[in-house]
């Protein structure tokens, strides 16, 4: 009798659970992703923020695209060749590659897109975010070679890193912003966008890889801040939230897990070498000895993150000089001695200006200000809104110290673009003629061993000259619903939704 | 008639003054939309070119005059960030903010007045003391915090609504209204406490007046003392105050909109300032000033109706 009852209840539970899972199964697989900044716009060539770029990765592809390991692989082009003198790049278009509207991609489309990105159209749209590195391209041509369409780029001077800048979206010829969202070549296509609310993308049936994407629909929901977004994670209305703060990682509700990967940026305390006392290298060195990078990572990054003492992060693999990670370690006595040598035995006070929308940098500034007290340096943390930071600190160089993360594409020359003394992006006013000389050599060098050596030398200069107080390569924490799998981290800012699937 | 005309002229001048202030403020704060649109990697020449094409390099006075000319014919310009006409961007959001405000106002009026009378029935009675205490507490809580508490209790724990999933207008106004009840409550609660407190003290102040004693001594019932004498006088300041509260609510509850992810103008205002989207910010600010001035005007008219002496 007892056995029968047990069997019956087991059968009942079985039926019930079957019924429940059947209920949970939706006809359409849609995922909601929480983001905390509105997108820049729908013209793929006008995007400038990392937050929008990482979403548009799903809609648009360039001649080449980056894969999860950080390699450049063919996208709109199936194949490419770089000439021995690094002055000619040739691409073969992928056969039958189509835009999301079903039209085949032609050589003209590619030439137009590249010219638009390089700012080489006759009447350039001033809002297009021109890729400065593409200015060395002299000629862009397309020709038929039998069945193949071949795109040839000829360069003014040798450059081995240009490929990294050719991931920009290929759009139809004569596309203009006013035409609305351009059809792209990516795994998803645009469906709808409401400013400050959401961006919806759906499967692109014309994608050249028929295996992808797994999802039918992704909604990027625009939240005002990470607190509001996290409330929705708690309520279960967001499936993926890629901007978890360290505190939130520990407060994730059941049904979610946090995954982490290195961000494509270097976080540093930059000091303005044009103002006293930071013009004195000894002062900059002293600051480097005064901070405890591991402690900062513990405080702001939940213990994950790689300490760095130079301007390149580990994602650059062979170009990254790991030996510099501990170039500076906390040494209060040494810092004090250096300050005394520089003429500041009692320390000094200065202001760290941080953009208030980056809580991560604000928190870091507070920890650093605390650490600098030990060597007698009083740092006042001043929060300003982003536009003010951009105008006064970055462009105007009216600041003493600031904390920010500098990002990059896959070219090692890109992450170091801030430091040549002639660069308009050199807001810390670092200047070393040797650095400038080698930086120019590195991009043109086609011998890989030499190139690696050049880039390591550059990193050593930045560390030795204490160009900044480099802090860490931070980690990105992503909240993912347990119903999902396949989320992939890239060594760049990319939210690849094509690989995500329901378990 | 003269009264209306005077008011109308005052309205135009106030709006003009507000827009001048706004223009000057935008001129003073660092950064402009051309800079922000192109991002950190743009070189100076590109920023200059965009500035030129957006007309930002023109003389301030010329720009202001152009803007005013546009407003005069109902052209509010276009958003620099979204490249769409300001009204296309704002009208759908304004609809939502207004709906939210109306709900909050209804909740406020329906609860505040009965509650106010109830507390005024007996000074220091049970009701009076409890409600006064609750009033003190809720007045001290900022609405955004109340919003978070409401979200936590009714959204996360009781699952009465899904936080942050504000339905779109197109998906059905009914659903939207249902969702907006929660932020409306968060907005209404502190206002309710204020109106109750105001009403209560206003009524008690009148009770202490000599005319009340006279009325009582000539045998008017307590009920009629309240109805015929006290209320009439007590309502005057309450009308002004309630009018102010309504204007306040209509002007948008920026922070509460943020907490509940309501697509209203509050969020647009903050972001338009952050993005230096001048036309959008200016239009919202004008709208809010217009509302407040008009509300004050309506209050004055009501005053006239209640008390002919004014």
């Amino acid at each position: 009798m007892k056995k029968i009852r047990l069997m019956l209840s087991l059968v009942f539970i079985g039926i019930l659970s079957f019924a429940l899972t059947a209920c949970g199964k939706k006809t359409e697989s849609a995922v909601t992703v929480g983001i905390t900044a509105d997108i820049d716009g729908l013209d793929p060539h006008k995007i400038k923020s990392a937050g929008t770029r990482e979403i548009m990765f799903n809609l648009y592809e360039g001649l080449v695209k980056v894969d999860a390991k950080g390699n450049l692989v063919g996208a709109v082009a199936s194949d490419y060749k770089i000439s021995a003198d690094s002055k000619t790049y040739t691409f073969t278009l992928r056969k039958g590659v189509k835009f999301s509207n079903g039209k085949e991609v032609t050589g003209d489309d590619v030439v137009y897109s590249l010219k638009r990105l390089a700012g080489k159209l006759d009447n350039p749209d001033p809002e297009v975010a021109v890729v400065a590195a593409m200015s060395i391209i002299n000629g862009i041509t397309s020709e038929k070679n039998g069945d193949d369409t071949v795109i040839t780029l000829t360069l003014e001077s040798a450059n081995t890193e240009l490929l990294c800048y050719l991931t920009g979206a290929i759009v139809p010829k004569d596309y203009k912003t006013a035409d609305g969202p351009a059809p792209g070549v990516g795994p998803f296509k645009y469906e709808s966008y409401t400013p400050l609310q959401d961006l919806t993308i759906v499967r692109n049936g014309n994608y050249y890889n028929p295996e992808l994407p797994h999802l039918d629909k992704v909604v990027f929901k625009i939240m005002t801040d990470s607190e509001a977004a996290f409330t929705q994670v708690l309520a279960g209305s967001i499936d993926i939230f890629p901007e978890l703060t360290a505190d939130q990682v520990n407060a994730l509700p059941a049904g979610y897990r946090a995954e982490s990967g290195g961000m494509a940026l270097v976080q540093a305390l930059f000091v303005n070498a044009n103002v006293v006392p930071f013009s004195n290298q000894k002062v900059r060195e002293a600051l480097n000895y005064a901070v405890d990078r591991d402690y900062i990572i513990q405080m702001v990054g939940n213990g994950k993150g790689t300490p760095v003492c130079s301007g390149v992060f580990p994602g650059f693999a062979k170009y990254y000089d790991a030996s510099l990670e501990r170039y500076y370690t906390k040494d209060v006595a040494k810092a004090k001695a250096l300050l005394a040598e520089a003429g500041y035995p009692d320390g000094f006070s200065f202001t760290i200006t941080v953009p208030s929308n980056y809580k991560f940098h604000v928190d870091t500034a507070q920890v650093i200000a605390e650490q600098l007290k030990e060597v007698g340096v009083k740092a006042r943390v001043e929060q300003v809104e982003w536009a003010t930071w951009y105008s006064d600190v970055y462009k105007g160089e009216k600041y003493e110290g600031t904390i920010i993360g500098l990002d990059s594409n896959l070219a090692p020359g890109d992450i170091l673009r801030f430091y040549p003394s002639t660069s308009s992006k050199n807001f810390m006013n670092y200047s070393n003629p040797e650095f400038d000389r080698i930086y120019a050599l590195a991009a043109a060098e086609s011998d890989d061993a030499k190139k690696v050596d050049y880039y390591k030398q550059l990193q050593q200069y930045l560390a030795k000259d204490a160009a900044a107080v480099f802090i860490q390569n931070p980690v990105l924490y992503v909240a993912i619903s347990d119903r999902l799998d396949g989320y992939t981290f890239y060594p760049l800012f990319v939210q690849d939704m094509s690989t995500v699937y329901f378990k | 008639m003269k009264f209306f005309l005077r008011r109308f002229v005052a309205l135009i001048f106030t709006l003009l003054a507000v827009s001048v202030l706004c223009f000057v403020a935008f001129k003073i704060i660092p950064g402009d939309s051309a800079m922000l649109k192109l991002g950190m990697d743009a070189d100076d020449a590109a920023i200059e070119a965009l500035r030129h094409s957006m007309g930002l390099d023109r003389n301030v006075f010329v720009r202001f005059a152009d803007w005013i000319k546009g407003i005069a014919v109902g052209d509010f310009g276009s958003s620099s960030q979204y490249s769409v006409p300001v009204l296309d961007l704002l009208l759908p959001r304004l609809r939502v903010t207004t709906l939210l405000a109306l709900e909050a106002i209804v909740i406020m009026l329906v609860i505040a007045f009965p509650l106010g009378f109830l507390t005024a029935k007996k000074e220091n009675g049970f009701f009076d003391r409890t409600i006064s205490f609750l009033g003190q507490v809720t007045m001290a809580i900022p609405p955004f915090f109340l919003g978070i508490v409401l979200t936590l209790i009714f959204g996360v724990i009781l699952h009465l609504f899904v936080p942050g999933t504000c339905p779109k207008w197109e998906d059905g106004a009914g659903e939207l209204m249902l969702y907006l009840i929660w932020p409306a409550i968060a907005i209404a609660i502190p206002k309710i406490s204020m109106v109750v407190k105001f009403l209560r003290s206003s009524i008690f102040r009148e009770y202490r007046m000599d005319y009340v004693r006279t009325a009582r001594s000539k045998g008017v019932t307590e009920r009629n003392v309240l109805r015929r004498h006290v209320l009439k006088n007590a309502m005057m300041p309450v009308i002004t105050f309630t009018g102010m509260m309504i204007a306040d609510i209509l002007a948008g509850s920026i922070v509460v909109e943020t907490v509940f992810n309501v697509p209203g103008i509050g969020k647009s205002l903050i972001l338009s300032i952050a993005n230096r989207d001048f036309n959008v910010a200016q239009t919202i600010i004008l709208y809010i000033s217009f509302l407040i001035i008009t509300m004050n005007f309506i209050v004055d008219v009501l005053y006239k109706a209640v008390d002919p002496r004014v």
Side-chain angles (χ1 to χ4, degrees), chain B:
Chain B
M1 201 57 223
K2 218 176 160 191
F3 171 76
F4 282 95
L5 203 69
R6 223 171 39 213
R7 277 310 173 117
F8 185 71
V9 174
L11 171 79
I12 298 294
F13 270 97
T14 319
L15 289 183
L16 207 63
V18 169
S19 38
V20 171
L21 274 181
C22 188
F23 215 89
V24 171
F26 261 78
K27 190 72 199 149
I28 294 173
I29 48 175
D32 65 31
S33 45
M35 229 174 184
L36 290 167
K37 234 180 139 69
L38 287 178
M40 279 175 77
D41 273 326
D43 56 30
D44 295 340
I47 294 176
E48 224 23 77
L50 182 58
R51 237 177 229 152
H52 182 73
S53 91
M54 291 171 98
L56 291 173
D57 54 350
R58 291 173 305 156
N59 182 298
V60 195
F61 298 105
V62 176
R63 273 165 57 200
F64 187 66
D66 270 4
W67 185 75
I68 292 280
K69 258 188 253 164
I71 299 291
V73 294
D75 173 15
F76 289 84
S78 61
S79 155
S80 64
Q81 194 196 0
Y82 296 107
S83 311
V84 293
V86 169
L87 291 186
D88 288 2
L89 185 74
L90 289 184
L91 284 180
R93 306 184 74 85
L94 200 59
R95 243 177 1 191
V96 179
T97 296
T98 313
L99 188 64
L100 172 61
L102 290 180
E103 284 187 32
I105 291 168
V106 169
I107 294 175
M108 176 184 84
L109 294 179
V110 166
I111 297 181
F113 281 88
L115 217 56
F117 294 139
L118 212 60
T119 48
K121 259 202 171 134
K122 192 164 178 241
E123 195 164 8
N124 287 327
F126 171 74
F127 264 119
D128 184 21
R129 276 208 233 151
T130 349
I131 291 173
S132 293
F133 172 74
L134 283 177
Q136 292 295 349
V137 175
T138 46
M139 240 187 292
I141 302 175
F144 80 88
F145 183 71
L146 217 55
I148 294 173
V149 173
L150 284 178
T151 308
L152 201 67
I153 296 176
F154 296 103
V156 178
I157 298 174
L158 296 177
H159 296 292
L160 289 181
F161 71 103
V162 188
T165 53
C166 188
K168 291 182 179 174
W169 189 282
E170 297 78 29
D171 300 343
E175 261 178 72
L176 179 63
M177 278 172 79
L178 228 58
Y179 179 87
L180 290 182
I181 287 178
W182 304 101
I185 293 176
I187 297 169
I189 287 180
K191 308 275 190 239
I192 291 174
S193 317
M194 285 181 221
V195 173
V196 167
K197 193 175 159 71
F198 208 81
L199 189 62
R200 172 187 175 275
S201 61
S202 186
I203 291 176
F204 285 146
R205 194 169 51 235
E206 293 301 323
Y207 265 130
R208 294 200 190 91
M209 292 290 187
D210 290 340
Y211 73 88
V212 175
R213 205 180 323 141
T214 319
R216 276 185 185 145
S217 60
K218 73 178 186 191
V220 181
T221 59
E222 210 38 46
R223 216 183 137 94
N224 279 343
V225 168
L226 179 69
R227 244 197 228 163
R228 296 235 178 104
H229 301 271
V230 172
L231 266 193
K232 227 175 187 176
N233 291 303
M235 282 319 275
M236 292 287 294
V238 176
I239 288 175
T240 325
F241 192 73
T242 314
M244 273 161 57
M245 292 292 107
I246 290 177
D248 207 32
I249 292 175
L250 276 174
S253 302
I254 297 171
V255 193
V256 174
E257 279 184 8
T258 306
V259 172
F260 288 90
N261 214 30
V262 175
I265 54 163
K267 218 152 102 179
S268 298
L269 179 60
I270 300 178
L271 278 161
S272 61
I273 295 172
N275 293 319
R276 304 291 186 264
D277 197 341
F278 174 75
N279 286 338
V280 175
Q282 182 77 288
T283 307
I284 299 175
I285 290 167
L286 267 191
Y287 167 74
I288 294 174
S289 332
F290 176 78
L291 267 183
I292 292 179
I293 298 167
T294 324
M295 262 330 283
N296 279 337
F297 172 68
I298 294 174
V299 166
D300 282 352
V301 174
L302 276 181
Y303 248 47
K304 255 183 154 19
V306 178
D307 188 348
R309 280 174 306 177
V310 179

Side-chain angles (χ1 to χ4, degrees), chain A residues 269 286-294 296 328-331 335 368 371-372 469-471:
Chain A
L269 162 64
L287 295 184
N288 266 294
Y289 282 114
V291 300
D292 181 344
R293 292 169 175 82
D294 292 314
I296 296 172
Y328 295 102
T329 48
K330 188 177 180 181
D331 188 338
I368 285 190
Q371 294 183 347
L372 292 183
V469 184
F470 295 101
I471 305 166

Side-chain angles (χ1 to χ4, degrees), chain A residues 238-256:
Chain A
I238 286 181
D239 301 306
I240 297 176
F241 177 48
E243 297 162 58
L244 280 183
T245 65
D247 305 337
Q248 289 169 350
V249 172
N250 303 320
L252 267 186
Y256 286 89

